[in-house]
Amino acid sequence: MREIIKESQRIVVKVGTSTIMYSNGKINLRTIERLVRVLADLSNQGKEVILVSSGAIGVGSHKLQLKTPPVEMAEKQAIAAVGQSELMHIYSKLFGEYGHVVGQILLTRDVIDFPDSRKNVTNTFEMMLNKGIIPIVNENDTVSVNEIEHVTRFGDNDQLSAIVSEVTTADLLILLSDIDGLFDSDPNVNPNAKLISEVKEITPYIVNLAGGEGSRFGTGGMVTKIEAAKRVVNNQSRMLITNGANPYILYDLLEGKNIGTLFSNE
């Protein structure tokens, strides 16, 4: 099954907060630089690359020298506004060094749920890719709210990346995280835990394997990744979860090497 990964032409790569931020709340510039270099090179190869990047609140917290993550919604949204600007500055500068232009797309769930706005989003992605622009996507944290009658939040960027994969009909979604993939038990507790290489069906057993939360500046965990996998597999596409500590791993993944956990119903 891994051989078909080599044929992936349109690829969505999602990077989590824990991958681009150190545990002390500072920006992991080395990982971001490597990620940009690899994505730029994949684009040079002729592949269409879309980056879904978490980290706005983490980067904003770093910029404002906060000791702890924000708690109140208004504070989160204000800090996200700072972080989005700073994060795009970093990405634009680094991609520019490799001769690539990037463009930011900020989404809220209501945009995706309405047919007309969904079509506009799809057309924007297509036009950017046709013009060789690398889209960088994040949830619009500065305006997203989650109320009973007006749900605008995706809830996490794992789900957002799955939706981006869906609306762009991507061949492959890769989630770069701080874990190697899905294990048959918690590797932090059980040293003999085994990595599950392939998942062809999201069964109750697979769902029960998921658990835990992300880093202190993140919102995701394995639960959100399994939910994303459900959406991707239901849309007849593929999703990979792997450790993003060294983004060069993307080369190995796209060469069909048995790394991480692949979700596909093929």
Side-chain angles (χ1 to χ4, degrees):
M1 184 188 297
R2 293 291 178 119
E3 285 296 309
I4 200 170
I5 296 298
K6 297 180 180 179
E7 302 173 9
S8 299
Q9 181 63 23
R10 179 171 292 183
I11 304 163
V12 177
V13 176
K14 182 261 178 178
V15 59
T17 300
S18 59
T19 300
I20 65 172
M21 301 289 296
Y22 289 113
S23 59
N24 62 7
K26 295 186 178 181
I27 303 171
N28 189 336
L29 292 173
R30 180 172 65 175
T31 296
I32 295 177
E33 287 175 346
R34 289 177 174 177
L35 174 65
V36 169
R37 186 181 305 136
V38 173
L39 295 182
D41 187 48
L42 292 176
S43 182
N44 288 346
Q45 294 175 23
K47 296 185 182 298
E48 295 177 321
V49 176
I50 300 168
L51 174 62
V52 177
S53 177
S54 299
I57 293 178
V59 172
S61 297
H62 168 70
K63 181 75 171 179
L64 296 171
Q65 299 182 358
L66 301 182
K67 299 296 183 182
T68 57
V71 177
E72 296 182 2
M73 179 59 70
E75 185 183 12
K76 287 182 179 180
Q77 292 179 318
I79 292 169
V82 174
Q84 287 288 4
S85 176
E86 185 73 6
L87 195 56
M88 278 305 298
H89 172 72
I90 293 171
Y91 281 129
S92 182
K93 180 178 184 297
L94 292 176
F95 272 107
E97 291 178 359
Y98 294 102
H100 287 274
V101 176
V102 300
Q104 185 178 44
I105 296 182
L106 296 176
L107 297 175
T108 52
R109 173 155 236 139
D110 53 342
V111 172
I112 298 299
D113 287 342
F114 289 98
D116 287 345
S117 56
R118 183 188 178 102
K119 181 179 179 181
N120 288 338
V121 169
T122 301
N123 290 342
T124 298
F125 273 114
E126 291 296 333
M127 185 60 68
M128 291 177 72
L129 293 171
N130 288 339
K131 290 183 175 295
I133 302 168
I134 296 177
I136 298 181
V137 188
N138 200 347
E139 182 169 0
N140 194 351
D141 291 321
T142 59
V143 299
S144 293
V145 293
N146 193 354
E147 298 173 348
I148 295 176
E149 297 181 357
H150 185 60
V151 177
T152 62
R153 283 185 55 80
F154 292 98
D156 63 85
N157 276 356
D158 293 326
Q159 191 67 211
L160 171 59
S161 63
I163 291 173
V164 169
S165 179
E166 176 185 333
V167 300
T168 61
T169 60
D171 302 311
L172 177 66
L173 167 61
I174 301 175
L175 302 186
L176 296 180
S177 186
D178 55 358
I179 52 176
D180 294 332
L182 178 65
F183 287 81
D184 61 1
S185 61
D186 189 346
N188 295 317
V189 177
N190 179 13
N192 297 316
K194 295 182 180 179
L195 179 69
I196 300 175
S197 176
E198 295 180 1
V199 175
K200 294 185 178 181
E201 183 181 0
I202 312 295
T203 62
Y205 169 73
I206 294 297
V207 173
N208 288 335
L209 289 179
E213 299 178 351
S215 69
R216 67 191 185 104
F217 282 97
T219 58
M222 186 55 73
V223 171
T224 63
K225 291 170 177 56
I226 297 300
E227 288 299 316
K230 283 183 184 179
R231 189 172 197 117
V232 170
V233 172
N234 287 340
N235 283 287
Q236 309 303 313
S237 190
R238 309 171 194 93
M239 188 184 98
L240 270 162
I241 302 174
T242 193
N243 197 309
N246 185 356
Y248 290 160
I249 199 171
L250 288 170
Y251 288 126
D252 294 330
L253 289 172
L254 294 173
E255 288 175 1
K257 294 184 180 180
N258 191 15
I259 300 170
T261 302
L262 172 64
F263 294 83
S264 173
N265 60 10
E266 296 172 306

